[in-house]
Amino acid sequence: MRRLLLALALLLGLVAHARAEELIQNFISDVTVNADASLTVRETITVNSEGQDIRRGILRDFPTAYTDRHGQRVRVGFDVLEVMRDGGTEPYTVESISNGTRIKIGDADVYLNDGLHTYEIAYKTTRQLGFFEEFDELYWNVTGNGWTFPILEAMAVIRLPGEARIKQHAEYTGPQGSTTNDSRVIASTGSQYRAATTRRLEPGEGFTVAVAWQKGLVTAPSGSDRLSWWLRDNAGIFGLLTTLLASGVFYVYAWNKAGRDPPKGVIIPLFSPPGNIAPAAARFIWKQGFDDRAFAAALVGLAVKGRVKIADDGSGYAIEKISGDAQALTAAERRLLASLPNGTTEL
């Protein structure tokens, strides 16, 4: 009987361990809106580790680059202040990802014990507020939508400047862009707002809140601030355009300086070839190639210069070489004359 009870207890333990799930038990985002329009955030994330995907720590991704409603590229400020686990300081590294920043929390040489672990991430971020004509607003993605673990409960705490009065708020749960609301608002008066989800969030789902309050409590960015942000956010495009413009200016200058065709002079017709151009060469230049007529022109040129005699015997032509001074011939004519056999040649 005792052995049976021990076996049953062991079996129940194995079944319970097999059914244990790695998940985020609780996610709290506590956000303080500062008068200078920056945010100070402390996230408290309690996870259940079973040594499967959560072995040394967790990854927390923050989107810091996006495109606004006007199609402009925006890059928000983000600085990590503190990272803790179970009440003690925890090592971490910060690296860039495609659309933001990733915090890798944990020690590569230390494995977590199975069970619950609570992480705290404190950071400061800027350019998160919207400034509208009748109110200022914080649109806040509480959890992010990149988690591969379910989240049993998520809570948002928004702390506004002391004299703030919440004018309106909205809540959304589900995948990116969802307008579904599975949450409850705990407090929405005065300067503090609290809301929590009412169902489990599956991997890829998140919790987003929007809270608006009266204007005048938070310093809005000036025109020079917006200009400097735009230049910084679009530095790559700005640099590319500047490079293209500088290249264009250089090439126009170089073309104007050395690439323009010289001005056309007076055109004088010539009725005879230049002295250093033989008839065969003139034919070659005209036709861009050598043919029988070029050869005939070369022979006629030699005859004109008295170096060959061309006779028509009725059935063909006879070519006879004549000795003389070779200096009057061009180099091509000298080579042609040297290639002809001595005496008379029938063509």
Side-chain angles (χ1 to χ4, degrees), residues 261-298:
D261 293 335
K264 294 182 179 180
V266 178
I267 299 176
I268 302 174
L270 300 176
F271 299 98
S272 61
N276 60 342
I277 298 294
R283 173 75 181 183
F284 181 85
I285 295 172
W286 178 28
K287 294 297 184 179
Q288 294 293 299
F290 191 82
D291 57 8
D292 290 344
R293 290 191 177 185
F295 177 69

Side-chain angles (χ1 to χ4, degrees), residues 305-317:
K305 293 182 178 181
R307 300 308 308 275
V308 298
K309 181 179 178 181
I310 304 175
D312 184 0
D313 59 6
S315 61
Y317 293 93

Side-chain angles (χ1 to χ4, degrees), residues 131-136 167-168 212-215:
F131 296 90
F132 302 95
E133 186 175 344
E134 298 182 355
F135 57 84
D136 296 337
K167 300 184 67 172
Q168 60 190 40
W213 61 93
Q214 77 273 26
K215 298 189 69 65

Side-chain angles (χ1 to χ4, degrees), residues 237-251:
I237 298 177
F238 187 72
L240 176 61
L241 293 177
T242 301
T243 302
L244 290 176
L245 179 61
S247 299
V249 171
F250 169 77
Y251 283 119

Side-chain angles (χ1 to χ4, degrees), residues 221-242:
S222 64
S224 60
D225 290 335
R226 295 182 185 275
L227 176 60
S228 64
W229 291 344
W230 184 87
L231 291 175
R232 184 183 64 189
D233 295 340
N234 298 278
I237 298 177
F238 187 72
L240 176 61
L241 293 177
T242 301

Side-chain angles (χ1 to χ4, degrees), residues 16-23 48-50 52 150 152 200 202:
H17 181 73
R19 296 184 60 186
E21 183 180 14
E22 290 192 327
L23 49 76
N48 182 53
S49 171
E50 293 295 327
Q52 301 168 16
L152 297 187
R200 161 177 165 147
E202 298 301 330

Side-chain angles (χ1 to χ4, degrees), residues 97-124:
I97 54 177
S98 59
N99 67 329
T101 301
R102 167 173 290 172
I103 303 179
K104 300 177 67 173
I105 304 173
D107 190 327
D109 299 323
V110 176
Y111 286 86
L112 300 175
N113 295 326
D114 291 352
L116 298 179
H117 296 276
T118 299
Y119 291 89
E120 294 180 64
I121 308 171
Y123 57 90
K124 191 171 185 177

Side-chain angles (χ1 to χ4, degrees), residues 296 299-304 308-312 317-320 322 347:
L299 289 178
V300 171
L302 289 175
V304 170
V308 298
K309 181 179 178 181
I310 304 175
D312 184 0
Y317 293 93
I319 306 297
E320 181 183 355
I322 300 174
L347 295 180

